[in-house]
Amino acid sequence: MTIERPAARPANPRFSSGPCAKPPTFELNKLAGVALGRSHRAAVGKDKLKAAIEGTRELLGIPADYRIGIVPASDTGAVEMALWSLLGERKVEMLAWESFGAGWVTDVVKQLKIDAEVKTADYGQIVDLASIDFNNDVVFTWNGTTSGVRVPNGDWIADDRAGLTICDATSAAFAMDLPWDKLDVTTFSWQKVLGGEAAHGMLILSPRAVERLESYTPAWPLPKIFRLTKGGKLIEGIFQGATINTPSMLAVEDYLFALDWARSVGGLQGLIARADANAQAIFDFCDQNDWIDNLAEDPATRSNTSVCLKFTDPRIRDGASFAKAVAKRLEVENVALDIGAYRDAPAGLRIWCGGTVETSDIQAMLPWLKWAFEAEIAAQAEAA
Ligand SMILES: Cc1ncc(COP(=O)(O)O)c(C=O)c1O
């Protein structure tokens, strides 16, 4: 049996969940203004770092009294700096429903050896958000990139909390509304929703997080790369573009380009609308096809960036090799790259829907997904 190939192909087959697609208008020559071979501490370098900080504040609507720092080691660096610098002052609750959240649990429980209360849920589900005690410090991931499950909003976070909220928002920032009054520490990396380069992370601190930094010293040693205070005072320079160590000015220039592009599509609300439209095209496809479904069980928790899918056809014999074979067919056809589920996640696909992806490309890719599914079902029957 021959299964007909769709006529149209996506103009851009890049649907990776990180590094994510560059902004559609990106070209390398648009970075020609980069301050290469200059000191990041010279005015030209420092001005660009400041512009990256203030552009982030403007686009994400971050309050003027929150500090925004550019830190080493991408989102991982930003999260770990926060965990190592802030935790241990009071009880900690760790929330995890996929592999990145689980990684932060390992950091806190096995490395820092904090006796934390760990709340976990399986892939596709979320923890009971009503059960959290905000007298504790609470660490969570806004959007679980490897399960496609996100918190529905910030309403579950207490306004009058005594503890801090530490939120890994790397696949949420620039695609979802983040309620800054509920978030004491927020992190993300440039390589995600804006399609920037990796290497640097963003660390956003509320005044309460700064207060903690200035009033509490952890029992464990902190390497220079994690140190946010000196003599009990916040190192303000970090939050004004005087980075702890040398940043990549090329990555900075690329981020500035991405911020400009974000402004050109209507800023945060424009970016959210683009991600929503992309994800909706996939949700509709799942509704129309009974062999595929969203991994996220509750529609209120479905991600609009890292949309994770599972195959549900009872004819499928080996779920993991079936999903891999479908992803491979799509890659060979150059219609969808890097859409296999994350290595620790259940078998399936993960399609990035952040704002740098064009809805027309998602729409052009989906008939290919149906084609690849049918081709693989046929191949499985032939092999039997
Ligand atoms: C939720 C989450 N946290 C952390 C990371 C790690 O980010 P990075 O590699 O930029 O440090 C990722 C990357 O995919 C992620 O999705």
Side-chain angles (χ1 to χ4, degrees):
M1 177 179 131
T2 340
I3 297 149
E4 210 169 311
R5 275 153 200 275
R9 283 165 186 276
N12 184 357
R14 290 175 175 83
F15 302 108
S16 151
S17 292
C20 301
K22 306 296 284 179
T25 55
F26 176 83
E27 288 167 28
L28 267 178
N29 63 22
K30 300 219 170 133
L31 307 186
V34 58
L36 289 181
R38 291 295 314 276
S39 168
H40 59 293
R41 312 227 186 257
V44 60
K46 207 158 169 211
D47 286 351
K48 285 182 186 286
L49 289 157
K50 265 195 193 152
I53 289 172
E54 290 315 317
T56 303
R57 188 187 306 281
E58 167 215 326
L59 275 153
L60 292 180
I62 299 171
D65 59 350
Y66 278 46
R67 308 308 202 282
I68 305 174
I70 298 171
V71 302
S74 212
D75 180 67
T76 310
V79 173
E80 293 188 335
M81 256 175 133
L83 302 181
W84 260 255
S85 301
L86 292 161
L87 294 186
E89 190 256 2
R90 65 183 56 227
K91 206 177 149 188
V92 182
E93 278 191 54
M94 300 293 302
L95 316 185
W97 49 90
E98 50 77 65
S99 98
F100 283 104
W104 308 140
V105 173
T106 301
D107 269 356
V108 169
V109 175
K110 295 224 170 101
Q111 297 295 322
L112 286 174
K113 301 196 180 355
I114 291 175
D115 181 19
E117 181 157 348
V118 180
K119 294 185 172 161
T120 61
D122 281 342
Y123 280 83
Q125 297 172 2
I126 197 160
V127 299
D128 178 7
L129 297 173
S131 73
I132 291 142
D133 179 355
F134 288 96
N135 284 316
N136 302 328
D137 291 335
V138 179
V139 181
F140 71 103
T141 303
W142 192 276
N143 180 78
T145 320
T146 66
S147 71
V149 173
R150 65 170 167 183
V151 297
N153 51 49
D155 296 354
W156 53 283
I157 301 172
D159 288 321
D160 60 347
R161 60 193 176 278
L164 299 176
T165 50
I166 300 179
C167 172
D168 172 0
T170 203
S171 54
F174 295 105
M176 304 173 200
D177 268 316
L178 296 174
W180 296 107
D181 57 331
K182 305 272 190 176
L183 302 176
D184 295 306
V185 179
T186 312
T187 67
F188 70 90
S189 69
W190 295 348
Q191 49 102 359
K192 277 280 186 297
V193 179
L194 287 191
E197 293 302 298
H200 301 298
M202 298 302 269
L203 178 68
I204 302 163
L205 303 177
S206 75
R208 293 183 61 243
V210 173
E211 208 178 284
R212 169 77 63 84
L213 283 170
E214 293 188 333
S215 61
Y216 162 73
T217 307
W220 42 80
L222 285 179
K224 172 180 171 180
I225 209 85
F226 276 5
R227 287 202 293 265
L228 294 166
T229 58
K230 191 173 178 194
K233 287 308 251 183
L234 187 75
I235 305 173
E236 292 283 0
I238 296 173
F239 304 92
Q240 293 157 5
T243 49
I244 297 173
N245 66 336
T246 314
S248 158
M249 294 314 293
L250 193 54
V252 171
E253 194 69 16
D254 180 78
Y255 183 61
L256 292 174
F257 170 83
L259 290 172
D260 273 343
W261 171 79
R263 289 182 189 101
S264 79
V265 295
L268 179 59
Q269 292 313 314
L271 289 167
I272 293 174
R274 287 173 67 92
D276 282 350
N278 290 340
Q280 192 60 48
I282 300 180
F283 300 165
D284 292 346
F285 181 81
C286 289
D287 288 344
Q288 290 149 14
N289 292 282
D290 60 4
W291 46 267
I292 193 157
D293 207 352
N294 203 303
L295 185 62
E297 288 171 15
D298 176 358
T301 66
R302 282 181 187 161
S303 175
N304 65 348
T305 55
S306 58
V307 176
C308 293
L309 303 174
K310 58 184 176 192
F311 293 103
T312 55
D313 193 300
R315 290 171 295 175
I316 296 170
R317 281 195 292 272
D318 174 347
S321 47
F322 186 91
K324 274 198 185 122
V326 168
K328 186 76 197 162
R329 274 181 200 270
L330 295 169
E331 185 189 317
V332 168
E333 291 290 339
N334 199 34
V335 289
L337 304 176
D338 309 320
I339 65 161
Y342 189 73
R343 57 178 188 261
D344 299 333
L349 302 176
R350 179 175 58 164
I351 301 168
W352 184 255
C353 288
T356 57
V357 171
E358 299 278 21
T359 308
S360 55
D361 286 336
I362 297 272
Q363 283 162 341
M365 180 272 292
L366 290 170
W368 284 95
L369 173 52
K370 191 169 161 76
W371 166 82
F373 165 77
E374 284 168 0
E376 210 42 54
I377 287 284
Q380 191 191 257
E382 261 169 45

